[in-house]
Amino acid sequence: MSKELSDAEIKNILEKIRSEYKEHGSLNPKAFDQTGFETRYLQVLKMRGNIGKFLSEEIAFLEQLKGKFQQLVAKKEAAKGSTLNRIIDESMEKLEKYNKIDFHPVAKLELRYFYGAMVSFADTELPVLINIFKGTPEYSYLQDAVLVVERIGITRRGMPSLKIQEITKSLLDANGNPILIEKVSQGLLRDGCLALKNIAQSIKDLTAKNRINPDLLIQVSDREYPKAYEVYNGKKFGTSLNSISERCKEIIQDFRMNSLLGMES
């Protein structure tokens, strides 16, 4: 799909997507979640994301969903709830490599995987960023994004993170309203992925300006940060920062937030 679409083309594509969701949603609203699509579309508009790329990804996702659904109908399995649920599971294939943290029954599956991804990042990558930049003028580039990641991903005494505690309260306040639940979910995904984008961009900018010595070695405590120690200790700054940047981009893409944030795949 062209990156530059006219208003008329965008309108026609939106009408087609909405018509498909309405038609198939009458058969299975859980699988064909139009509310989720509309929320993602509004977020792209607010963030001034790449509309063409967003619509292209949504069409591909919808076609995949329709194909799987039609296969199940042909096999007369569409009426089985467990089979229909697999449609949702398969659409999240990329998320299964992350730890799923079941912090609340109302939370969407995608959100549970995202929480797991952010906890892992906070345990493994964040201590390395702080080791490299804390106490330097360059830390100001990363400070806001680091704070967001800490609020989402750092847990203490077995309790959910501060942000997840807030999200849980918001889910309860939604009182089962699917529009409000989707808004809460997309808000967390957007904020977390935007922080990751800013980290990756800061790493790129600081590296390009030669503001770090790429040959210095990472030294993190194996007692305080065992996961960071296992993956990064003893590695060079340059190599480590490149790995962290790629990790940020990977999470953003896996949770389908790259078009919303104006990032290419």
Side-chain angles (χ1 to χ4, degrees), residues 6 28 70 97-98 134 155 170 177 201 211 233 265:
S6 68
N28 188 260
Q70 288 165 2
K97 61 188 171 188
Y98 301 106
K134 194 67 179 283
T155 62
S170 297
N177 185 315
Q201 186 62 51
R211 299 287 289 271
N233 197 63
S265 299

Side-chain angles (χ1 to χ4, degrees), residues 1 20 63 77 80 89 135 140 147 171 208 222 230 232 239 251 261:
M1 184 182 293
E20 294 279 6
E63 288 301 313
E77 294 179 353
K80 299 178 182 178
D89 294 338
S140 62
L147 180 60
L171 291 173
D222 59 340
E230 180 181 355
Y232 289 102
T239 302
I251 293 173
L261 298 178

Side-chain angles (χ1 to χ4, degrees), residues 150-177:
E150 286 177 339
R151 284 182 57 81
I152 297 175
I154 291 184
T155 62
R156 291 186 174 91
R157 302 189 196 94
M159 294 290 292
S161 68
L162 293 175
K163 187 63 177 179
I164 291 300
Q165 290 180 50
E166 293 175 8
I167 291 295
T168 299
K169 183 180 183 302
S170 297
L171 291 173
L172 289 170
D173 291 343
N175 199 28
N177 185 315

Side-chain angles (χ1 to χ4, degrees), residues 77-90:
E77 294 179 353
K80 299 178 182 178
S82 60
T83 303
L84 289 175
N85 287 337
R86 285 204 293 272
I87 299 174
I88 307 298
D89 294 338
E90 289 173 8

Side-chain angles (χ1 to χ4, degrees), residues 102-113:
D102 296 318
F103 63 91
H104 193 276
V106 177
K108 296 179 65 176
L109 184 60
E110 184 180 33
L111 215 57
R112 304 180 199 192
Y113 279 119

Side-chain angles (χ1 to χ4, degrees), residues 67-78:
K68 294 180 185 299
F69 185 77
Q70 288 165 2
Q71 289 175 15
L72 296 175
V73 171
K75 296 176 182 178
K76 297 181 180 180
E77 294 179 353

Side-chain angles (χ1 to χ4, degrees), residues 2-20:
S2 172
K3 293 183 180 179
E4 298 293 332
L5 297 174
S6 68
D7 290 343
E9 288 174 325
I10 291 174
K11 181 180 178 181
N12 289 335
I13 294 170
L14 285 171
E15 287 178 353
K16 176 65 175 175
I17 291 175
R18 285 165 175 158
S19 175
E20 294 279 6

Side-chain angles (χ1 to χ4, degrees), residues 2-265:
S2 172
K3 293 183 180 179
E4 298 293 332
L5 297 174
S6 68
D7 290 343
E9 288 174 325
I10 291 174
K11 181 180 178 181
N12 289 335
I13 294 170
L14 285 171
E15 287 178 353
K16 176 65 175 175
I17 291 175
R18 285 165 175 158
S19 175
E20 294 279 6
Y21 270 112
K22 184 176 180 180
E23 177 184 348
H24 290 82
S26 64
L27 300 174
N28 188 260
K30 183 178 179 181
F32 294 90
D33 180 14
Q34 185 172 354
T35 299
F37 165 74
E38 296 292 351
T39 302
R40 292 192 296 274
Y41 176 58
L42 289 175
Q43 292 287 358
V44 171
L45 293 179
K46 289 179 182 178
M47 300 292 290
R48 297 183 180 180
N50 187 325
I51 298 293
K53 183 173 177 57
F54 168 77
L55 292 176
S56 178
E57 291 178 349
E58 288 292 333
I59 289 170
F61 172 70
L62 186 55
E63 288 301 313
Q64 182 186 35
L65 206 55
K66 284 164 55 183
K68 294 180 185 299
F69 185 77
Q70 288 165 2
Q71 289 175 15
L72 296 175
V73 171
K75 296 176 182 178
K76 297 181 180 180
E77 294 179 353
K80 299 178 182 178
S82 60
T83 303
L84 289 175
N85 287 337
R86 285 204 293 272
I87 299 174
I88 307 298
D89 294 338
E90 289 173 8
S91 73
M92 294 187 172
E93 236 174 67
K94 289 184 177 180
L95 309 187
E96 293 177 352
K97 61 188 171 188
Y98 301 106
N99 181 34
K100 177 166 63 74
I101 301 178
D102 296 318
F103 63 91
H104 193 276
V106 177
K108 296 179 65 176
L109 184 60
E110 184 180 33
L111 215 57
R112 304 180 199 192
Y113 279 119
F114 185 67
Y115 182 29
M118 295 300 283
V119 167
S120 176
F121 187 91
D123 286 342
T124 309
E125 278 74 31
L126 199 59
V128 177
L129 279 175
I130 293 174
N131 177 263
I132 293 173
F133 292 108
K134 194 67 179 283
T136 70
E138 288 73 27
Y139 187 63
S140 62
Y141 287 79
L142 296 152
Q143 192 168 8
D144 290 344
V146 165
L147 180 60
V148 172
V149 173
E150 286 177 339
R151 284 182 57 81
I152 297 175
I154 291 184
T155 62
R156 291 186 174 91
R157 302 189 196 94
M159 294 290 292
S161 68
L162 293 175
K163 187 63 177 179
I164 291 300
Q165 290 180 50
E166 293 175 8
I167 291 295
T168 299
K169 183 180 183 302
S170 297
L171 291 173
L172 289 170
D173 291 343
N175 199 28
N177 185 315
I179 296 176
L180 293 179
I181 291 174
E182 184 67 26
K183 183 179 179 180
V184 171
S185 302
Q186 289 297 314
L188 180 65
L189 289 169
R190 180 198 63 230
D191 292 348
C193 287
L194 182 58
L196 295 177
K197 176 190 176 182
N198 290 340
I199 287 172
Q201 186 62 51
S202 295
I203 289 173
K204 179 180 178 181
D205 293 344
L206 292 171
T207 301
K209 294 175 183 177
N210 295 318
R211 299 287 289 271
I212 60 160
N213 183 343
D215 295 321
L216 294 177
L217 301 182
I218 300 294
Q219 293 183 348
V220 291
S221 168
D222 59 340
R223 183 177 61 82
E224 291 186 70
Y225 309 111
K227 293 182 180 179
Y229 179 88
E230 180 181 355
V231 176
Y232 289 102
N233 197 63
K235 291 186 177 180
K236 292 183 177 181
F237 279 17
T239 302
S240 300
L241 288 173
N242 182 63
S243 296
I244 292 170
S245 180
E246 290 304 311
R247 185 63 167 166
C248 290
K249 296 174 186 176
E250 180 183 29
I251 293 173
I252 293 168
Q253 185 167 341
D254 285 345
F255 286 89
R256 302 170 60 229
M257 296 294 287
N258 46 319
S259 59
L260 187 151
L261 298 178
M263 300 175 66
E264 298 299 326
S265 299

